[in-house]
């Protein structure tokens, strides 16, 4: 009989492609991608580019997508932009860090954005895009240049938009302090408006409304405050003495707004002409005017009254200055005229005053003979001269007795 054999079945060969696919499938199922760090919030100015980043670890074959949370709009998946917004773009670094680009940022782009991994269940995290807007002044809600009468109340207003909400600061353009109604003076005023009570000429000037919110650039608007008031004049010296031939300058200070017409007049309100020996000069400083009239060489016809006149639409006013003559002898030796003793030593006291005493004595005798009032010859020094004369006479007698011993003893006749 023949021998019976047992045949073992042949093993089936698995294709290499299938094995590779299975291995990849097993590895994919074993990998668990996760976010390496949270999405950092981003702040961007209007018109600039904002970039949000999402860092993923062990992404493997999974994909990353960006979405707008509030509208549930899919923006990008992997390397593809899904939305039709041309300002959106996506990029990555080694499939690890995924960037969402938003160009030409608008205020409407402000909000939450989601980075999503298509695992099961899905994994996601969100970040916030803050859009800041530099300040902008709203013209129709802001004060314009103002003209007010002195003594009125004024309110200056300024409105601005921006994100964050801008702060409003007021200051004077010329850097001077702001005069408040309570008498206080401050360099700046905070707030969208501030009040000026009973404005006067010191309030007049340019004010700057400055809006800032930390987002450059800050903006400002210039508001001119004009205060109207009638002219006022100040004269420091109303009596001015001058010698013939000297150069003389008369001065007045004037304040007025609207700007005034200023000129000089002589007796009978005759306007002093410009040119020749007269030179009128005006020094203008805002609402203040310094008026000067220079006479190159004073002559007898120049003595008399002068007026500095200031006029505007609200009124007019003037100041008077009287020019009187003084002589060279009076100005150079005024002590002899007043009859004061010189401070010399010895007999020079008598020598220096003998003629003066003689002249005064003759003058007194002449006035007595004509019935005149002696007390009016020099009231300003009569009392002092009387005592001085008595003192001089006593000193003279003493000196005479001292130099002539024979006169010390009187012998009977």
């Amino acid at each position: 009989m023949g021998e019976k054999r047992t045949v073992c079945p042949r093993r089936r060969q698995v294709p290499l492609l299938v094995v590779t696919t299975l291995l990849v499938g097993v590895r994919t199922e074993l990998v668990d991608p996760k976010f390496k760090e949270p999405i950092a919030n981003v702040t961007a100015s209007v018109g600039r580019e904002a970039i949000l980043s999402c860092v993923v670890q062990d992404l493997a074959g999974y994909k990353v997508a960006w979405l707008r949370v509030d509208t549930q709009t899919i923006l990008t998946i992997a390397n593809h932009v899904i939305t039709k917004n041309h300002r959106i773009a996506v990029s990555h670094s080694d499939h690890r860090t995924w960037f969402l680009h938003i160009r030409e940022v608008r205020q409407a782009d402000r909000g939450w954005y989601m980075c999503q991994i298509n695992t099961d269940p899905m994994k996601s995290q969100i970040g916030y895009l803050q859009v800041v807007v530099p300040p902008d002044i709203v013209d129709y809600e802001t004060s314009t240049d103002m003209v007010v009468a002195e003594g009125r109340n004024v309110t200056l207003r300024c409105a601005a938009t921006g994100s964050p909400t801008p702060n409003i600061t007021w200051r004077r353009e010329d850097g001077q302090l702001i005069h408040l109604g309570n008498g206080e003076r401050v360099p700046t005023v905070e707030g969208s408006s501030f009040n000026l009570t009973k404005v006067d000429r010191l309030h007049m000037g340019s004010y700057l409304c400055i809006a800032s919110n930390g987002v450059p650039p800050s903006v400002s608007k210039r508001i001119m405050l004009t205060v109207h008031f009638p002219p006022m004049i100040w004269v420091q010296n109303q009596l001015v003495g001058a010698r013939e031939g000297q150069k003389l300058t008369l001065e007045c200070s004037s304040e007025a707004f609207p700007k005034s017409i200023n000129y000089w007049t002589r007796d009978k309100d005759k306007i002093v002409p410009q040119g020749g020996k007269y030179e009128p000069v005006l020094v203008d400083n805002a609402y203040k005017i310094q008026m000067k009239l220079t006479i190159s060489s004073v002559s007898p016809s120049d003595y008399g009254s002068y007026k500095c006149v200031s006029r505007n639409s609200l009124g007019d006013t003037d100041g008077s200055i009287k020019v009187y003559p003084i002589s060279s002898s009076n100005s150079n030796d005024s002590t002899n005229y007043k009859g004061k003793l010189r401070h010399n030593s010895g007999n020079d006291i008598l020598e220096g005053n003998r003629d003066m005493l003689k002249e005064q004595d003759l003058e007194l005798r002449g006035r007595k003979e004509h019935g005149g009032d002696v007390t009016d010859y020099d009231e300003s020094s009569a009392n002092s001269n009387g005592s001085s004369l008595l003192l001089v006479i006593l000193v003279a007698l003493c000196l005479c007795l001292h130099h002539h011993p024979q006169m010390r003893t009187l012998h009977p006749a």
Side-chain angles (χ1 to χ4, degrees):
M1 293 184 59
E3 187 176 359
K4 192 175 181 179
R5 295 182 178 181
T6 302
V7 178
C8 295
R10 296 181 59 183
R11 299 182 61 183
R12 299 178 58 186
Q13 298 291 329
V14 180
L16 180 61
L17 179 60
V18 175
V19 173
T20 304
T21 302
L22 291 175
L23 291 175
V24 171
V26 172
R27 186 178 64 183
T28 301
E29 292 177 356
L30 294 177
V31 172
D32 184 20
K34 60 183 177 180
F35 296 109
K36 185 66 175 178
E37 58 189 51
I39 299 176
N41 296 334
V42 174
T43 300
S45 298
V46 168
R48 301 297 182 88
E49 181 181 9
I51 301 177
L52 289 88
S53 59
C54 180
V55 182
V56 181
Q57 183 177 355
D58 300 328
L59 181 60
Y62 293 101
K63 295 182 179 181
V64 173
W66 282 99
L67 296 85
R68 177 73 185 265
V69 175
D70 54 352
T71 61
Q72 293 295 310
T73 303
I74 299 176
L75 303 177
T76 67
I77 297 178
N79 294 319
H80 305 287
V81 177
I82 306 301
T83 181
K84 294 182 179 181
N85 188 342
H86 67 280
R87 298 182 296 111
I88 300 297
V90 63
S91 64
H92 63 86
S93 174
D94 298 329
H95 290 272
R96 186 172 184 272
T97 306
W98 294 82
F99 302 100
L100 175 66
H101 301 261
I102 306 175
R103 296 185 293 265
E104 301 174 10
V105 169
R106 303 172 183 175
Q107 293 190 58
D109 296 327
R110 182 188 294 113
W112 293 96
Y113 290 81
M114 177 182 291
C115 175
Q116 185 182 98
I117 306 175
N118 62 337
T119 55
D120 187 17
M122 174 267 295
K123 293 183 179 181
S124 65
Q125 62 178 359
I126 59 176
Y128 191 81
L129 172 61
Q130 175 64 273
V131 179
V132 294
V133 183
D136 185 31
I137 292 178
V138 183
D139 288 333
Y140 67 89
E141 295 183 13
T142 300
S143 299
T144 57
D145 293 348
M146 305 178 68
V147 178
V148 297
E150 197 169 38
R152 297 291 185 87
N153 297 334
V154 173
T155 299
L156 299 181
R157 294 183 174 87
C158 184
T161 60
S163 181
T165 302
N167 296 319
I168 304 297
T169 302
W170 296 87
R171 68 175 179 85
R172 288 185 62 114
E173 188 177 37
D174 57 11
Q176 296 183 16
L177 297 179
I178 297 176
H179 294 252
L180 301 180
N182 56 5
E184 185 182 1
R185 300 197 302 170
V186 295
T188 59
V189 174
E190 301 291 333
S192 59
S193 66
F194 78 99
N195 299 322
L196 296 173
T197 57
K198 295 183 179 179
V199 296
D200 57 31
R201 62 204 67 185
L202 297 178
H203 291 111
M204 185 158 53
S206 298
Y207 293 80
L208 295 179
C209 156
I210 304 171
S212 58
N213 63 353
V215 182
S218 298
V219 292
S220 65
K221 183 176 180 179
R222 180 176 179 268
I223 301 171
M224 180 67 187
L225 177 62
T226 303
V227 180
H228 281 187
F229 57 94
M232 298 181 66
I233 280 184
W234 291 265
V235 179
Q236 184 173 4
N237 298 314
Q238 293 182 320
L239 290 175
V240 179
R243 298 185 300 274
E244 289 188 28
Q246 85 171 70
K247 184 177 181 180
L248 179 65
T249 299
L250 309 178
E251 296 188 22
C252 290
S253 297
S254 171
E255 293 184 5
F257 207 89
K259 287 190 175 182
S260 56
I261 300 173
N262 301 273
Y263 56 90
W264 292 87
T265 65
R266 286 287 317 265
D267 301 312
K268 298 180 181 180
D269 295 333
K270 183 179 179 180
I271 296 178
V272 177
Q274 184 172 4
K277 65 188 303 183
Y278 299 106
E279 183 185 356
V281 176
L282 299 178
V283 181
D284 193 347
N285 180 16
Y287 59 87
K288 299 180 180 180
I289 294 180
Q290 190 74 16
M291 301 176 61
K292 296 183 179 181
L293 177 64
T294 300
I295 306 173
S296 59
S297 178
V298 175
S299 63
S301 62
D302 296 320
Y303 297 120
S305 296
Y306 292 78
K307 286 184 179 180
C308 47
V309 183
S310 180
R311 297 175 180 270
N312 71 0
S313 59
L314 301 178
D316 61 84
T317 188
D318 59 65
S320 297
I321 300 177
K322 185 175 182 180
V323 179
Y324 64 90
I326 58 175
S327 63
S328 301
S329 60
N330 289 340
S331 61
N332 294 332
D333 196 12
S334 59
T335 56
N336 286 343
Y337 176 78
K338 295 181 179 180
K340 293 183 179 179
L341 296 177
R342 295 181 180 178
H343 298 285
N344 295 331
S345 59
N347 293 336
D348 290 342
I349 297 178
L350 294 177
E351 294 295 329
N353 292 276
R354 183 177 299 163
D355 293 339
M356 177 190 69
L357 297 175
K358 185 177 181 180
E359 290 175 2
Q360 291 180 348
D361 183 64
L362 292 175
E363 183 180 1
L364 288 173
R365 290 180 182 180
R367 293 193 180 188
K368 286 182 179 180
E369 292 174 358
H370 291 84
D373 187 0
V374 178
T375 59
D376 65 352
Y377 81 98
D378 190 358
E379 292 181 355
S380 63
S381 59
N383 295 332
S384 62
N385 285 343
S387 59
S388 298
L389 287 173
L390 180 59
L391 178 62
V392 170
I393 293 172
L394 292 175
V395 172
L397 290 175
C398 292
L399 290 175
C400 290
L401 291 174
H402 176 75
H403 290 290
H404 301 281
Q406 65 275 17
M407 296 181 63
R408 298 178 184 178
T409 304
L410 298 177
H411 299 279

